[in-house]
């Protein structure tokens, strides 16, 4: 087989892989259960990654004693976790239970970044990563979004897959949806 044919096959395989990644992201955003999350202010900058808005939601720091179910399991750093969600009075999704495996209902899948005990009390403090913690934007837009977030005028719109995988769909700004487009 000639060198040109080999290079062409490698290029075709790489292109197919990239196309599959884009199609998977588009399918995750288009389908699934939509949830909305409130955000807390933070101050990020990363010279290597560019400008982004750091998204901290009530789902990231969990105290299992404040939840109503699934708290009998002891989680460790690196464990996969499924957090059951319910819609609060303001329309935002809130954590109500945690489990080490998926269940029926509305769940988001994450990975435990930190698990600590509450001392003599039963239960744990958990810091969970869901892969929705950064929203990249132009430098000007990132600064504006940070201001809106700090004023509690910004909510995150997330699409959940059947098994709880999360993809950022867009932002809600002052009650108005701004859905990101891939194409």
């Amino acid at each position: 087989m000639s060198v040109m044919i080999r290079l062409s096959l490698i290029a075709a395989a790489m292109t197919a892989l990239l196309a599959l990644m884009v199609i998977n992201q588009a399918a995750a955003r288009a389908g699934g259960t939509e949830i909305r999350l409130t955000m807390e202010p933070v101050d990020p900058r990363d010279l290597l990654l560019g400008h982004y808005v750091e998204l901290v939601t009530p789902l990231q720091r969990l105290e299992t004693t404040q939840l109503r179910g699934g708290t009998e399991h002891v989680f460790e750093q690196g464990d996969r976790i499924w957090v059951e969600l319910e819609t609060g009075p303001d329309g935002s999704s809130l954590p109500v239970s945690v489990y080490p495996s998926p269940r029926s209902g509305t769940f988001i899948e994450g990975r435990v970044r930190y698990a600590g005990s509450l001392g003599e009390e039963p239960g744990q403090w958990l810091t969970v990563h869901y892969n929705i913690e950064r929203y990249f934007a132009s430098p000007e837009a990132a600064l504006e979004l940070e201001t809106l977030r700090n004023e509690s005028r910004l909510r995150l719109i997330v699409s959940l897959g059947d098994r709880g995988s999360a993809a950022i769909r867009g932002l809600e700004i002052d009650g108005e949806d701004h859905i990101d487009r891939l194409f």
Side-chain angles (χ1 to χ4, degrees):
M1 195 183 288
S2 75
V3 172
M4 285 305 291
I5 292 174
R6 287 182 187 167
L7 287 175
S8 296
L9 289 174
I10 291 171
M14 291 171 59
T15 302
L17 180 64
L18 289 173
L20 182 62
M21 290 170 59
V22 170
I23 290 168
N24 282 341
Q25 181 69 15
R29 291 170 44 145
T33 304
E34 183 176 285
I35 64 170
R36 307 214 174 207
L37 301 171
T38 57
M39 292 182 269
E40 302 169 8
V42 293
D43 184 27
R45 285 294 171 266
D46 192 321
L47 295 174
L48 298 176
L49 293 176
H51 289 270
Y52 62 90
V53 180
E54 185 78 22
L55 307 175
V56 178
T57 69
L59 303 180
Q60 288 175 266
R61 291 186 301 270
L62 304 172
E63 182 181 338
T64 60
T65 58
Q66 301 296 316
L67 304 174
R68 68 169 182 236
T71 58
E72 63 279 349
H73 183 81
V74 176
F75 292 95
E76 295 183 16
Q77 183 177 350
D79 285 351
R80 290 173 66 187
I81 187 172
W82 281 263
V83 179
E84 182 179 8
L85 304 172
E86 283 187 357
T87 304
D90 68 348
S92 291
S93 293
L94 301 170
V96 293
S97 302
V98 293
Y99 297 98
S101 60
R103 307 257 201 255
S104 61
T106 303
F107 282 86
I108 186 168
E109 177 188 3
R111 189 160 302 271
V112 176
R113 285 283 173 110
Y114 172 78
S117 71
L118 295 175
E120 294 186 20
E121 277 185 60
Q124 290 181 284
W125 281 103
L126 301 172
T127 301
V128 184
H129 183 79
Y130 301 95
N131 233 9
I132 57 170
E133 287 76 21
R134 289 184 177 170
Y135 186 84
F136 288 89
S138 68
E140 300 80 23
L143 289 172
E144 182 180 340
L145 291 172
E146 285 177 8
T147 301
L148 292 170
R149 182 207 52 216
N150 294 346
E151 295 171 354
S152 299
R153 297 171 50 200
L154 185 68
R155 288 199 301 180
L156 184 63
I157 302 172
V158 175
S159 181
L160 297 177
D162 293 340
R163 294 186 46 87
S165 60
I168 295 176
R169 191 156 185 255
L171 300 170
E172 179 186 310
I173 302 171
D174 292 329
E176 183 180 325
D177 291 356
H178 295 268
I179 305 300
D180 295 337
R181 307 231 185 277
L182 287 179
F183 305 105

